Amino acid sequence: MIRKLLALGVATAASMLLPAPIAWASGNAHIIDDAAVETPGVCHLEGWATRFGRHHGLVNLSPACTRRAWPNLEIGASAQRAWAQGASDSTVGPALKYVLRSEDTGLGLGVIGGGAWSLKSGRLETASLIAPVTFHLNDRLRINLNAGWSHVRAEAKRDAAFYGAQAELGVARDVSLMVESFHREGGNTGGQVGVRWNPGGGQFDFDLIAGRRVDGYTPRAMTLGVTVRR
């Protein structure tokens, strides 16, 4: 499903389930996305809260749907509130994912695009165009690779390349583990480790994620996420 937004600055964000017995980890607050869209005819709401420090955090809501008439296209949006050192801002914007090659072939390929506008200034704060690739190595292990372009207005290098990789391991029918690393040109390499619980393979996902330099700067971050599908 579509990703979460690519969090790359203090009050900025750009862009972010595979239906299977294993609770795959992509989606929600993970930075690296997979090459699959939501199940056609199903909508979801991804929500998460990230704490970078005592006075630095972010809250996100991202709804998205895939229509049966357009099974390769996921249409979504995002709304975020971020704050740090007495400053805060809210952003909203669209998020789209299109599948070029289905994961069912063993190699999934897609394209993800999105942007976020500040409600305070009305300016475009972030945007991204990312190509996700997904490899199924076996029934429990999946590799996701991302590469593309990102725009962050608040950065010295506003337009830069972005790339990263993620490994997902299904450890039980309802539990998966994830580890990922990512880098935006001109910044520091970040990473996250997370666990997802998908009770009974149903409509809820619960994520607990620990990250380092998720925004390219802050040493540590902790995230709690919930996804609901209908």
Side-chain angles (χ1 to χ4, degrees):
M1 72 169 73
I2 201 164
R3 184 37 210 148
K4 57 225 164 197
L5 309 173
L6 176 60
L8 291 169
V10 170
T12 64
S15 110
M16 291 206 284
L17 257 167
L18 172 70
I22 299 301
W24 292 116
S26 291
N28 208 287
H30 302 293
I31 302 298
I32 302 303
D33 204 356
D34 59 20
V37 295
E38 182 59 89
T39 305
V42 174
C43 294
H44 67 252
L45 176 63
E46 297 177 342
W48 70 85
T50 299
R51 183 170 181 175
F52 298 97
R54 185 176 178 182
H55 303 293
H56 184 182
L58 179 147
V59 176
N60 177 91
L61 289 176
S62 297
C65 297
T66 301
R67 298 185 58 189
R68 288 190 177 92
W70 304 331
N72 289 343
L73 176 65
E74 185 175 298
I75 302 172
S78 69
Q80 290 196 347
R81 178 71 175 176
W83 60 92
Q85 299 176 348
S88 63
D89 196 5
S90 297
T91 60
V92 296
L96 300 173
K97 177 192 277 189
Y98 188 79
V99 174
L100 299 171
R101 180 186 172 97
S102 172
E103 288 188 44
D104 295 339
T105 64
L107 173 63
L109 175 63
V111 59
I112 303 170
W117 280 262
S118 166
L119 293 183
K120 182 180 296 185
S121 68
R123 293 180 296 192
L124 178 67
E125 293 292 337
T126 58
S128 63
L129 185 63
I130 304 294
V133 178
T134 296
F135 300 91
H136 279 270
L137 299 185
N138 54 50
D139 291 341
R140 291 187 174 272
L141 181 60
R142 192 166 71 144
I143 302 297
N144 298 311
L145 305 177
N146 285 187
W149 161 87
S150 71
H151 169 83
V152 182
R153 190 188 66 81
E155 293 288 328
K157 188 176 181 62
R158 292 190 175 186
D159 296 285
F162 172 83
Y163 52 88
Q166 179 191 79
E168 304 177 47
L169 178 64
V171 297
R173 180 179 178 84
D174 299 341
V175 180
S176 63
L177 300 178
M178 172 277 301
V179 59
E180 64 183 8
S181 180
F182 39 84
H183 181 80
R184 184 178 189 271
E185 186 183 8
N188 296 303
T189 298
Q192 292 194 120
V193 176
V195 58
R196 167 167 291 174
W197 179 38
N198 174 225
Q203 64 184 16
F204 295 98
D205 296 329
F206 300 95
D207 290 276
L208 175 61
I209 306 170
R212 180 171 176 79
R213 304 198 186 283
V214 176
D215 59 359
Y217 303 98
T218 312
R220 291 175 295 277
M222 289 296 299
T223 299
L224 292 175
V226 179
T227 299
V228 182
R229 290 178 297 279
R230 287 184 63 97

